[in-house]
Amino acid sequence: MAEPLRIGIAGLGTVGAATVDLLRRNAASIAARAGRPLEVVAVSARDRRRDRGVDLTSLEWFDDPVALARAPGIDCVVELMGGSDGPAKATVEAALGAGRAVVTANKALLARHGAALAALAEAKGAGLFFEASVAGGIPIVKALRESLAGNAITRVSGILNGTCNYILSRMELEGLGFAEVLADAQRLGYAEADPTFDVGGFDTAHKLAVLTSLAFGVEIDADAIHVEGISAITPLDLKMADDLGYRIKLLGVAERTATGIEQRVHPTMVPKTRPIAQVMGVTNAVTVSADAVGELTLVGPGAGGNATASSVMSDLVDVARGVTVAPFGRPSASLEKAERMPMQRHEGGYYIRLSALDRPGAAAGIATRMAEKQISLESIVQRRPSGASTDRSGRSGTPVPVVLITYATTEAAIRAALDAVLADGHIAEPAQLIRIERDLD
Ligand code: NAP
Ligand code: HSE
């Protein structure tokens, strides 16, 4: 048998421990596919005494992951610590600098430093692989970099964060509270070390930045993305969406338009009849639209140790086989700069929930402001809070939720109309606004 690939793993948490376990469990079939054995020879984590559910006794231990990256006798370094800077960046730079292949699941690192790391990898003739960085177990990185290399891609979109989809699904189906479900996602190993990255939409943006670079040949740049998370989504919004025939999903969308590549991450109402609305729990789904293949959707587990280890392993097999490929599918010097597209130009339908003051002329005033901006309304729904008392005219004196669903319009028109409604004093607080995507497959 050929020489083994000697692997050093930095980070032994949810993904790191699952990777060690998977490599041992399927060692024979992995070696057969790779043409040589894959052996973990060294590991690094912060706490040496912690039980990680895998036997580490035969492995060399490093307190310092950078020392592991430079240690003799290691062919490939797997970075599974997380974080855009600090030890993760130092470890990857040290390994690439030493001409060693790197496998990482760290989208935060790639989103911030991917361009420089890809250039370093190319300069040193070292591989930089990151299948596990996007959508957990779904092989979307290789699909874009290799399988779809013959296509002109027009759009990549989908559910890219397992934690958020898990939270929205359980809030809607089980009526549970946001904090309770987030705690479950953390316990199950889905959430980032700082879950703000998940619920704030930043993790989805990091992944979208990776996909945009691979799909459109632009330099990875998360700052070019408009980002909104799910923290402001209330049970009332989920209920209203359900009543109106929609589900709320956190989507990442990158699309080539006449004026550039639009990149956005935000909660989105999708018709319940569309396949993407059926993607529930920790499952992710990525849809690619391209000229030759048409439309392609990959669906699978978006987070969790085993699913993510599966993606790490696919990269390790590539390294063992001696595969060389530019990290973002083409030489990094040829990647173009991504421009940030102003969200004001976005066109689509909108769900607008207003806390309207229950007084004469409020509804008419709101409708007038919409009409002034040529916004056509598909429906208006007014819900009096249950238990609210009313006077003889039937008014409660307290704010009443009013939901408007618009036909396609521009974000600029919606924002201007809502500013006017707020200035008129018809609403008690700024509007809740959720974009609608009606044409998804
Ligand atoms: P995790 O459970 O928090 O594990 C992080 C590991 O890194 C821990 O073992 C920790 O050591 C180690 N570590 C942190 N700082 C270190 C340092 N300075 N030196 C040495 N070791 C250090 O994280 P995870 O969920 O496995 O995620 C790891 C990476 O995979 C992240 O980039 C994440 O975004 C990405 N990812 C995660 C998932 C998922 O479902 N969890 C899916 C896809 C991608 P201790 O254990 O001793 O504290
Ligand atoms: N926290 C991430 C998620 C892990 O929930 O999708 C997978 O990248």
Side-chain angles (χ1 to χ4, degrees):
M1 184 68 106
E3 283 290 296
L5 179 78
R6 295 161 304 176
I7 299 164
I9 299 184
L12 288 171
T14 302
V15 183
T19 299
V20 174
D21 184 52
L22 178 60
L23 188 42
R24 288 185 179 156
R25 219 166 59 226
N26 294 344
S29 64
I30 291 169
R33 288 186 170 117
R36 60 197 282 211
L38 279 69
E39 276 178 21
V40 180
V41 295
V43 290
S44 175
R46 284 175 298 208
D47 181 354
R48 196 171 185 156
R49 285 163 305 175
R50 200 174 130 197
D51 178 11
R52 299 164 193 283
V54 283
D55 182 6
L56 303 173
T57 45
S58 62
L59 308 180
E60 191 174 359
W61 178 275
F62 288 84
D63 287 325
D64 176 8
V66 175
L68 174 146
R70 295 198 179 112
I74 291 176
D75 305 312
C76 175
V77 175
V78 183
E79 185 282 303
L80 298 171
M81 295 179 288
S84 62
D85 290 276
K89 178 168 176 268
T91 300
V92 171
E93 285 175 342
L96 293 175
R100 288 180 182 168
V102 169
V103 172
T104 181
N106 189 339
K107 55 270 173 169
L109 172 73
L110 293 165
R112 185 72 45 222
H113 302 292
L117 293 174
L120 176 61
E122 288 171 40
K124 294 290 179 182
L128 173 61
F129 297 86
F130 42 82
E131 183 61 74
S133 67
V134 182
I138 300 177
I140 185 62
V141 169
K142 276 192 201 180
L144 286 172
R145 198 180 56 208
E146 284 143 40
S147 314
L148 299 174
N151 286 258
I153 294 171
T154 49
R155 181 178 157 114
V156 183
S157 64
I159 297 169
L160 301 175
N161 184 273
T163 299
C164 286
N165 207 48
Y166 179 81
I167 292 174
L168 291 171
S169 300
R170 292 196 65 198
M171 282 178 72
E172 182 202 330
L173 299 182
E174 298 172 50
L176 298 173
F178 186 96
E180 184 181 355
V181 192
L182 172 58
D184 279 350
Q186 290 178 290
R187 187 178 44 76
L188 291 164
Y190 302 157
E192 296 301 300
D194 175 357
T196 312
F197 281 92
D198 297 293
V199 300
F202 308 109
D203 179 74
T204 299
H206 293 155
K207 293 165 176 166
L208 188 67
V210 172
L211 298 184
T212 302
S213 180
L214 290 162
F216 299 107
V218 296
E219 216 171 76
I220 187 165
D221 180 10
D223 291 338
I225 303 176
H226 173 89
V227 186
E228 294 169 28
I230 64 164
S231 312
I233 301 296
T234 66
L236 177 59
D237 294 320
L238 292 165
K239 174 80 176 73
M240 293 301 298
D242 186 39
D243 288 353
L244 292 160
Y246 293 93
R247 279 214 164 103
I248 300 175
K249 298 288 177 190
L250 183 71
L251 293 191
V253 180
E255 187 165 13
R256 194 178 278 292
T257 72
T259 47
I261 297 164
E262 182 180 89
Q263 293 187 77
R264 52 195 167 86
V265 170
H266 51 72
T268 308
M269 288 192 17
V270 296
K272 272 196 266 184
T273 49
R274 301 287 180 187
I276 193 140
Q278 315 312 320
V279 178
M280 302 299 273
V282 74
T283 307
N284 282 189
V286 193
T287 298
V288 181
S289 306
D291 61 347
V293 75
E295 201 155 273
L296 185 77
T297 299
L298 302 181
V299 182
N306 265 319
T308 310
S310 162
S311 289
V312 170
M313 207 55 64
S314 84
D315 283 343
L316 283 171
V317 168
D318 274 356
V319 173
R321 287 172 175 161
V323 169
T324 53
V325 59
F328 292 99
R330 56 187 95 187
S332 55
S334 71
L335 297 170
E336 292 166 18
K337 284 264 175 238
E339 299 263 323
R340 187 179 173 121
M341 287 268 300
M343 201 57 196
Q344 295 280 346
R345 283 196 218 148
H346 173 73
E347 288 182 27
Y350 287 81
Y351 159 102
I352 301 164
R353 178 170 55 75
L354 302 167
S355 209
L357 295 170
D358 197 8
R359 61 187 189 197
I366 291 166
T368 300
R369 290 303 192 185
M370 295 290 150
E372 282 170 2
K373 295 293 171 197
Q374 277 76 51
I375 298 166
S376 298
L377 299 178
E378 184 187 287
S379 65
I380 304 181
V381 180
Q382 181 170 326
R383 284 280 161 83
R384 191 178 303 288
S386 55
S389 58
T390 58
D391 64 16
R392 275 194 294 170
S393 68
R395 288 191 286 273
S396 66
T398 55
V400 179
V402 173
V403 168
L404 314 179
I405 300 291
T406 79
Y407 288 108
T409 181
T410 65
E411 181 108 0
I414 289 285
R415 296 283 178 193
L418 291 178
D419 284 350
V421 169
L422 190 61
D424 290 341
H426 291 317
I427 54 177
E429 56 192 54
Q432 168 73 297
L433 187 154
I434 303 176
R435 297 167 193 88
I436 301 175
E437 299 259 349
R438 294 188 172 93
D439 302 326
L440 293 169
D441 280 323

